[in-house]
Amino acid sequence: MSASATLVLIVGLGLIAWASARARAFALAPQGRNRPRPAEQGWYAALWTAIPALLIVGVWAWSKPFFVRNDVLNHPAAQDLPSEAIDRAAVLSEARDLANGAIDAAFNPLAETLAMPWVAAEQKYALVGLILAIATAVGGGAFGMLRLKPGFRAGPRVERFALMIAAAASLIAIVTTAGIVLSLVVESMRFFALVSPVEFLFGTTWAPETSAAGTAAGSYGATPLFWGTVFIGAIIAMLVAVPLGLMSAIYLTQYAKPKIRAWIKPLLEVLAGVPTVVYGYFAALTVAPAVRDIAAAVGVTSASSESALAAGVVMGVMIVPFVSSMADDALTAVPRAMRDGALALGSTTSETIRQVLLPAALPGVVGGVLLAVSRAIGETMIVVMAAGLAANLTLNPLASVTTVTAQIVQLLTGDQEFESAKTLAAFALGLVLFVVTLGLNMAALSLVKAYREAYE
Amino acid sequence: MTAAKITARDVSVYYGEKQALESVSIDIATEHVTAFIGPSGCGKSTFLRCFNRMNDTIIGARCTGRIELDGEDIYGAEMDVVQLRARVGMVFQKPNPFPKSIYENVAYGPRIHGLAMDKTELDRIVELALTRAGLWDEVKDRLSESGTSLSGGQQQRLCIARAIAVDPEVILMDEPCSALDPIATAKIEDLINQLRGRYAIVIVTHNMQQAARVSQRTAFFHLGKLIEFGETSELFTNPRAEKTKDYITGRYG
Ligand SMILES: Nc1ncnc2c1ncn2[C@@H]1O[C@H](COP(=O)(O)OP(=O)(O)O)[C@@H](O)[C@H]1O
Ligand SMILES: [Mg+2]
């Protein structure tokens, strides 16, 4: 019996418990105001039936392979297994794949011999698991039903269970985040044991070399990466995204007729939904060559086919909808009375926007731009495809530069020794990115929040 | 009878399909304060916003009839709405100072209209406007503080100063005291009395005592129609229309 069939069976038993507890509550309980609510009684019985049984299924799914393997190893034919651990594991995994039908023929004849015992063991323990699950479901259900005496209040207990589920779900999210941060920190510490933090943060040469576990080779000065990230994500991209986004927000909130607005807003949102990899090849295949050709046409011969400008411009375009929607929110939050006050003094629409609305909306707009920067510096696909991998410390937008994210990809793809400085450097870079992004987000959110409160 | 500053003839206003004002005609003179009273929703604010064409900023609003300012058609092709609003200032129901300094709030209008040649002149205009609005002594040492840091009553007087600073001919006030406490209200009413004669003042109020205290002419509106218009003392003591009588004796509204 397969795992999914077991699950269906347990849910079915839960439904039966629900229906019968509910029916019993209707039949037995005293009528009138204090009657226990049948639905709660039903849920109480159903939860006692299903939840412990589901836990057993989970535990069994996790521990069954150990039992199966143990059985197979105790089989007489297992005497012939090679003594080397790696070879043993190879034969056993072949036997398992044969047993599961994942492969049709084995390379190793011994695996063929062990496949049959493997199937037998699988079946045996699957049956044990099924019986355990059914027994737990029936036992749990019976326990729940027995407690459902008249006067027993099932409601609060069901509520408490719902609360626990919700709390557990949010806890999982928090624990996952904490785990990621912890692993970033721990791996970064191991990196900093090999390379000094000062060199990493302030060194200007980035040339990691492959080395053995526990050693560092090459140089790990990440300043060119940080600069490339800032140059593309915070400077070039924002030079594109802030004016375009702000203007479009101004147009949409101040000039556009409601009908036009109803058309353009969704269009902008479509732009926000384009996968970044599409922007990436647009940048690499269209914009970057165009930038190089234009540069060549005006006489700049050194222009690279991968440039900070191409990546930054495309990234800026990608961020436009985001900036526009943040600025839109900030502008609409400025009270209409402010606009009326300026207009009533004889301001033209553009004076009103420039001198009253924008200054009033500034904190909100700045907050939005900070969020946009934090997005841009974490963006990966476009820079991997269009910015290049050369760690140049340059002000020339036509030169190829590289970013933190592009280097992380570079460090972790291909053959690698996991304990070497080259791999661990990716975690240190990730940690820097995480800290900066977190700081930006917190600053932005507090700005936006303070701004909202100012007009409430 | 002196020449009217503003003459309105057969003015009707529509919001989309809905008619909010029906064929209203009125004359407004500089030497009097004119009060608009009437139950809420009767079209007082709508009518007031016709005089500086603020209804233009409301999508779907439409105005018919003729309104003249010193004989010029304010809805005519010749009329520049920016100039019109410099000549016809407005104070709103809720004080709405800009989130700028007190000085910048008052200097804003003169700046955009280019009224001052240099900083000295601008300083003088700001001081004069704040003095006329009765606020100078309270704020002269804190001109660089934010306008929003003032109390509600001071904010409203700042808004009056802001309107005065562009040297208008008419000042429209739409329930300027409805968000203020009685003391701040009394100050604004004093101020209106002092400004009378220098500017043509039109004030919308839902408070009949206030209309009686500050105005010399009162117009009573009901359901988008002008029911009665005349001397304030006359209208309150001896109303001609039955509806006016009902309203001022508090039978409804
Ligand atoms: N912006 C608007 N859009 C649509 N209808 C409006 C608008 N402003 C006012 N109205 C309508 O016009 C009528 C008159 O409103 P208003 O002039 O504000 O009355 P008052 O100031 O006397 O209380 C009301 O019925 C109101 O609902
Ligand atoms: Mg009103």
Side-chain angles (χ1 to χ4, degrees):
Chain A
M1 191 161 208
S2 75
S4 54
T6 315
L7 291 185
V8 170
L9 184 71
I10 290 173
V11 171
L13 286 174
L15 274 178
I16 293 173
W18 180 78
S20 48
R22 194 163 163 272
R24 203 175 61 158
F26 271 120
L28 289 187
Q31 300 294 311
R33 278 249 146 258
N34 269 337
R35 189 177 71 147
R37 286 151 72 181
E40 283 166 356
Q41 305 249 318
W43 274 110
Y44 186 77
L47 289 174
W48 265 113
T49 308
I51 299 300
L54 288 176
L55 285 177
I56 289 291
V57 169
V59 169
W60 194 247
W62 178 73
S63 52
K64 191 178 75 171
F66 295 102
F67 290 115
V68 172
R69 199 180 146 99
N70 208 31
D71 257 28
V72 173
L73 287 177
N74 285 333
H75 192 267
Q79 301 302 324
D80 302 336
L81 276 170
S83 54
E84 192 72 27
I86 291 187
D87 299 339
R88 276 169 89 93
V91 175
L92 283 173
S93 81
E94 254 192 334
R96 186 195 60 211
D97 289 350
L98 271 176
N100 294 342
I103 53 174
D104 292 332
F107 173 73
N108 198 313
L110 185 54
E112 305 257 6
T113 330
L114 286 176
M116 281 318 289
W118 197 293
V119 171
E122 281 277 358
Q123 282 172 348
K124 180 173 123 199
Y125 287 108
L127 188 64
V128 171
L130 181 66
I131 291 171
L132 268 179
I134 293 176
T136 318
V138 171
F143 175 76
M145 292 288 243
L146 281 181
R147 294 191 68 184
L148 285 177
K149 300 204 176 67
F152 176 78
R153 290 174 41 76
R157 292 175 168 81
V158 174
E159 281 299 307
R160 207 179 312 144
F161 181 77
L163 173 95
M164 269 158 49
I165 294 279
S170 63
L171 200 67
I172 287 175
I174 295 172
V175 166
T176 312
T177 314
I180 291 173
V181 174
L182 195 70
S183 100
L184 268 182
V185 170
V186 168
E187 301 295 329
S188 301
M189 286 307 142
R190 291 170 64 190
F191 173 74
F192 288 128
L194 301 174
V195 176
S196 97
V198 175
E199 186 201 336
F200 175 73
L201 290 175
F202 303 107
T204 56
T205 312
W206 179 259
E209 279 167 26
T210 310
S211 61
T215 61
S219 81
Y220 290 89
T223 309
L225 275 51
F226 299 148
W227 166 245
T229 307
V230 169
F231 196 31
I232 293 181
I235 300 177
I236 300 178
M238 289 307 129
L239 283 178
V240 174
V242 172
L244 286 183
L246 200 55
M247 302 274 199
S248 83
I250 288 172
Y251 172 71
L252 286 175
T253 57
Q254 307 300 321
Y255 291 101
K257 299 219 166 64
K259 264 188 198 148
I260 299 183
R261 187 177 155 94
W263 267 98
I264 296 191
K265 270 208 92 149
L267 279 180
L268 270 176
E269 274 148 25
V270 168
L271 205 57
V274 176
T276 57
V277 67
V278 175
Y279 283 106
Y281 62 69
F282 177 62
L285 300 182
T286 312
V287 180
V291 164
R292 184 199 50 208
D293 293 346
I294 293 170
V298 300
V300 184
T301 49
S302 65
S304 150
S305 67
E306 292 175 320
S307 62
L309 188 61
V313 165
V314 174
M315 196 186 284
V317 170
M318 184 188 85
I319 303 277
V320 164
F322 184 76
V323 174
S324 167
S325 110
M326 295 295 295
D328 192 317
D329 289 351
L331 283 167
T332 9
V334 178
R336 199 194 145 91
M338 214 63 79
R339 188 178 145 216
D340 285 349
L343 289 173
L345 280 169
S347 315
T348 61
T349 309
S350 79
E351 278 166 349
T352 307
I353 292 166
R354 273 184 289 119
Q355 299 176 5
V356 176
L357 291 186
L358 279 183
L362 194 64
V365 173
V366 171
V369 170
L370 288 187
L371 282 182
V373 170
S374 116
R375 273 197 158 192
I377 65 176
E379 162 52 36
T380 310
M381 241 25 242
I382 295 175
V383 287
V384 166
M385 295 171 86
L389 291 168
N392 290 325
L393 196 53
T394 172
L395 274 172
N396 177 4
L398 297 173
S400 165
V401 299
T402 191
T403 68
V404 170
T405 50
Q407 285 303 318
I408 291 178
V409 171
Q410 178 71 6
L411 291 170
L412 292 183
T413 43
D415 281 342
Q416 47 191 312
E417 175 61 65
F418 209 77
E419 306 286 306
S420 76
K422 190 174 172 186
T423 324
L424 292 174
F427 290 95
L429 289 175
L431 184 64
V432 171
L433 199 60
F434 172 77
V435 169
V436 171
T437 317
L438 188 71
L440 280 173
N441 284 0
M442 284 185 349
L445 290 180
S446 71
L447 260 178
V448 171
K449 188 159 160 270
Y451 168 68
R452 293 245 165 81
E453 280 162 4
Y455 287 120
E456 256 156 26
Chain B
M1 191 77 195
T2 46
K5 186 77 187 167
I6 296 179
T7 55
R9 291 294 173 265
D10 292 326
V11 176
S12 297
V13 179
Y14 304 81
Y15 292 111
E17 295 297 298
K18 184 172 168 253
Q19 185 162 10
L21 204 65
E22 267 183 71
S23 193
V24 174
S25 301
I26 206 169
D27 283 351
I28 285 162
T30 301
E31 46 268 42
H32 307 133
V33 172
T34 307
F36 289 178
I37 62 169
S40 104
C42 67
K44 308 179 295 288
S45 303
T46 299
F47 190 38
L48 198 70
R49 284 196 301 263
C50 291
F51 299 150
N52 62 349
R53 290 181 54 176
M54 279 300 280
N55 282 331
D56 292 13
T57 67
I58 297 173
I59 294 163
R62 203 154 47 81
C63 177
T64 64
R66 189 176 174 88
I67 302 178
E68 289 176 358
L69 175 65
D70 282 337
E72 271 179 88
D73 180 5
I74 71 166
Y75 282 88
E78 309 284 279
M79 182 56 73
D80 177 0
V81 65
V82 164
Q83 293 302 325
L84 172 70
R85 289 181 189 153
R87 292 170 66 189
V88 182
M90 187 166 210
V91 177
F92 295 81
Q93 194 162 345
K94 238 183 106 201
N96 59 347
F98 302 134
K100 299 169 182 278
S101 71
I102 294 171
Y103 182 94
E104 286 302 323
N105 261 284
V106 184
Y108 178 84
R111 277 225 176 90
I112 58 169
H113 293 293
L115 300 185
M117 293 233 298
D118 52 24
K119 178 87 169 86
T120 334
E121 201 173 346
L122 191 59
D123 287 349
R124 201 183 48 74
I125 293 177
V126 169
E127 179 174 348
L128 183 70
L130 283 169
T131 311
R132 283 200 183 149
L135 197 58
W136 177 250
D137 290 330
E138 288 161 61
V139 302
K140 63 171 183 276
D141 300 320
R142 44 192 284 213
L143 289 174
S144 58
E145 279 174 37
S146 170
T148 48
S149 67
L150 298 172
S151 74
Q154 290 174 321
Q155 287 190 16
Q156 195 61 299
R157 279 181 283 147
L158 178 64
C159 292
I160 295 175
R162 186 174 74 181
I164 289 175
V166 290
D167 198 23
E169 298 155 35
V170 182
I171 299 179
L172 311 172
M173 300 188 180
D174 192 350
E175 304 197 19
C177 303
S178 64
L180 306 182
D181 62 58
I183 293 174
T185 300
K187 281 196 179 146
I188 303 266
E189 289 179 4
D190 274 355
L191 178 58
I192 293 172
N193 275 325
Q194 280 161 32
L195 297 176
R196 182 180 74 221
R198 189 186 295 278
Y199 312 99
I201 295 176
V202 185
I203 176 171
V204 170
T205 173
H206 58 236
N207 176 335
M208 281 176 283
Q209 287 77 29
Q210 182 170 65
R213 282 193 300 266
V214 301
S215 76
Q216 292 71 47
R217 294 286 180 278
T218 297
F220 171 64
F221 291 82
H222 184 353
L223 293 178
K225 292 201 182 80
L226 176 61
I227 304 297
E228 185 167 347
F229 177 48
E231 274 188 38
T232 300
S233 51
E234 189 69 17
L235 188 133
F236 278 108
T237 54
N238 196 6
R240 276 168 286 144
E242 202 59 34
K243 282 198 177 109
T244 320
K245 197 164 167 189
D246 289 348
Y247 183 68
I248 61 177
T249 53
R251 218 161 297 167
Y252 63 64

